[in-house]
Amino acid sequence: MSRTILSLSLIVFHLSFGVAQTLEECQQAAEQNYPLIHQYGLIEKTTELTVANIGKGWMPQVSASAQATYQSDVMSWPDQMKAMMAGMGIGLKGLAKDQYRIGVDISQTVYDGSAISSQKAIALEQGKVQAAQTEVTLYQVRKRVNEMYFSLLLLGEQIQLNRDLQELLASNERKLESMVKGGTASRSDWQNVKAERLNVVQQATSLESQKRMLQAMLSTFCGMEVTRVEKPAVSEALAQTTGLRPEMQLFDAQLHLADAQEKALDAALKPKLGVFAQGYYGYPGYNMFEDMMSHDWSLNGMIGARLTWNIGALYTRKNDKRKIQLQRDLTESNRAVFLFNNHLEQIQQNEEIARYRKLMADDEEIIALRSDVRKAAESKLAHGIIDVNDLVREINQENAARVQQSMHEIEMLKQIYDQRFTTGEK
C-alpha cells in the first residue's frame, strides 16, 4: 500500500511541476501500472480460499439421504414357526419387500495422518510458485523501460546537438551572406551552407517525431505523462545494492513445492481415525424381529469409531516419488542453464562497459581537435583559401564527433543498467 501511495505521489508531483522523471521512478510507475501487477492480489486471495477450504476437512461432515427399495426376497419366519404361532392366534408377517429410510450420517476426523496439513502446505507452495512466476514476468518490465528511457535520452542529446549544429551553420550562413554582399564570396557558397542548414532542420523534425512517439509509449507504459527524462550520473549508476533475480526465487519455490508434495505421499500411507453417527427414520429398523411382526416405521441410530488404512498408495508410491525427483532435477537443470546464460551475459556486458570507457577516454580530445579544425576552416574560407564544401565537411565531422561522444556515454550508462538488471541489483 505504501509503495502505491509513493508512486501516486510521484505522478501528481511530476504532472504538477514538470520535473524530469528518473529511471527508477519510471520503473516503479511501470511496475505499478502494468496489468500483471493485479495478479498478486488474485493469487493471494485464491490461495487463502484454497487453504481455508482444505482446513474445513476437520469440520464434521454431514450427509442426508433418502431411499426407497423393493426387494425380490426378504428375511422371513420358518414355515414351522408360522404354523405354530398361527395355532396360538399370532400372525407373523415377516419383512415387507418394500423398504424405506430417511437418514443423516455425521462423521468427524480425529486423526488424518497429516493429510490435511500436507494439502495446505501444497496449496501455499503452489501460490508462492504462481507469485514467483508473476514476479519473473513483471521483472522484464524493467528492461523494456530501460530500452525506452535510454532511447529517449539519446534522442534528447541528438536534438540538442542538432540545435547547436543549426546555430553554427546559421552563423556561417550569415557570414557568407555578408561576404556575398561584399563581393568576397559567391552566392552558390551561401546557398550551399543554407541548404545544409535546412537539411539539418529536416533531421530535427524527424528526431522530434521519434521523441514524441517514444514519450507517448513510455507514458502509456508508466501510466503517467513522461515529459522529460533525467540522465543518471555514472556514480549513481554504479551505486548498486545487493539483489536477487526473481528467477532464483521461482526455482526455490518450485523445489519447496516438490518437498511439500513428497510429504503428502508420506501422509497418504498413514491410517485415518474418525468417529461417526448414523440415524434414520424408516422401515425396517435395527430390531428385525419386531419389524417382522409389525411394519411400522421407527427411529434408529448408531455411533462408533472407524479406523481405515488405505494401502493403495503403496502401489504408485515408487513412481510418484520418482516423478517428484524428476521435477527437482528439471528445476535444478533450469537453474543451471539460467545461471550459465546469465554469467555469459554479464561477461558480454562487462566487456561492453570497458569498451565504452576506452572510447570515451578519447572523445574529448577528438572533439577539441575537430573544433580547432572547423575554426581554422572558417578562417581559411574567410581568406579564400578553401571552398565552402571543405567548411561544411569539417562542421559535420565536428558534429559527428559530438554525437559519437553522447552515444558512447549513454550506451555505457545503458550497459551499466542492463548489467544491474542481469544481476538483479537495484
Side-chain angles (χ1 to χ4, degrees), residues 186-243:
S186 66
R187 182 175 178 80
S188 61
D189 290 340
W190 171 75
Q191 291 174 331
N192 193 350
V193 173
K194 183 177 181 179
E196 186 65 25
R197 180 180 62 79
L198 293 176
N199 183 48
V200 173
V201 170
Q202 287 184 332
Q203 293 175 9
T205 302
S206 177
L207 290 172
E208 289 287 354
S209 176
Q210 294 178 48
K211 180 181 178 182
R212 286 193 298 271
M213 178 190 68
L214 267 176
Q215 277 183 327
M217 290 176 61
L218 186 57
S219 297
T220 302
F221 214 75
C222 296
M224 66 179 183
E225 185 179 356
V226 179
T227 53
R228 291 190 297 120
V229 291
E230 181 180 291
K231 181 166 66 175
V234 176
S235 58
E236 177 186 343
L238 294 173
Q240 302 173 352
T241 57
T242 303

Side-chain angles (χ1 to χ4, degrees), residues 13-198:
F13 181 75
H14 291 314
L15 289 178
S16 301
F17 299 97
V19 178
Q21 285 83 15
T22 65
L23 178 58
E24 287 76 11
E25 290 168 354
C26 286
Q27 287 175 342
Q28 290 179 13
E31 287 180 358
Q32 291 295 326
N33 183 61
Y34 201 63
L36 195 64
I37 192 71
H38 301 297
Q39 284 194 12
Y40 280 117
L42 297 176
I43 291 172
E44 183 179 357
K45 189 63 177 176
T46 301
T47 302
E48 289 177 359
L49 293 174
T50 302
V51 171
N53 285 341
I54 294 173
K56 287 178 170 47
W58 285 110
M59 297 181 66
Q61 305 299 309
V62 181
S63 63
S65 62
Q67 71 175 40
T69 61
Y70 183 85
Q71 301 178 199
S72 61
D73 201 0
V74 293
M75 184 183 297
S76 62
W77 297 99
D79 292 338
Q80 296 83 348
M81 184 173 289
K82 283 184 179 181
M84 182 181 67
M85 299 302 289
M88 299 172 59
I90 301 174
L92 298 178
K93 298 180 180 179
L95 290 178
K97 291 185 177 181
D98 55 323
Q99 300 180 2
Y100 311 90
R101 68 167 58 189
I102 301 173
V104 176
D105 292 344
I106 302 174
S107 61
Q108 171 65 58
T109 300
V110 176
Y111 173 74
D112 70 339
S114 302
I116 292 178
S117 61
S118 297
Q119 292 173 11
K120 282 185 178 181
I122 290 176
L124 288 172
E125 294 301 333
Q126 286 175 336
K128 291 178 182 178
V129 169
Q130 291 176 349
Q133 288 173 335
T134 302
E135 180 65 28
V136 168
T137 305
L138 194 60
Y139 188 72
Q140 299 301 319
V141 171
R142 288 178 171 270
K143 190 169 186 178
R144 296 175 68 180
V145 171
N146 284 357
E147 295 289 341
M148 290 184 283
Y149 193 91
F150 284 104
S151 295
L152 266 178
L153 280 177
L154 185 57
L155 280 172
E157 292 286 332
Q158 291 176 336
I159 289 172
Q160 183 57 51
L161 291 173
N162 181 279
R163 291 170 182 164
D164 294 341
L165 180 58
Q166 288 184 48
E167 291 179 5
L168 182 59
L169 288 170
S171 175
N172 281 277
E173 184 182 340
R174 289 190 294 270
K175 291 178 183 178
L176 282 168
E177 187 177 12
S178 299
M179 292 172 66
V180 169
K181 292 178 180 179
T184 57
S186 66
R187 182 175 178 80
S188 61
D189 290 340
W190 171 75
Q191 291 174 331
N192 193 350
V193 173
K194 183 177 181 179
E196 186 65 25
R197 180 180 62 79
L198 293 176

Side-chain angles (χ1 to χ4, degrees), residues 337-348 350 422:
V337 170
F338 172 78
L339 290 174
F340 180 80
N341 292 333
N342 189 271
H343 181 62
L344 289 180
E345 195 170 357
Q346 289 184 52
I347 292 175
Q348 181 181 1
N350 284 330
T422 301

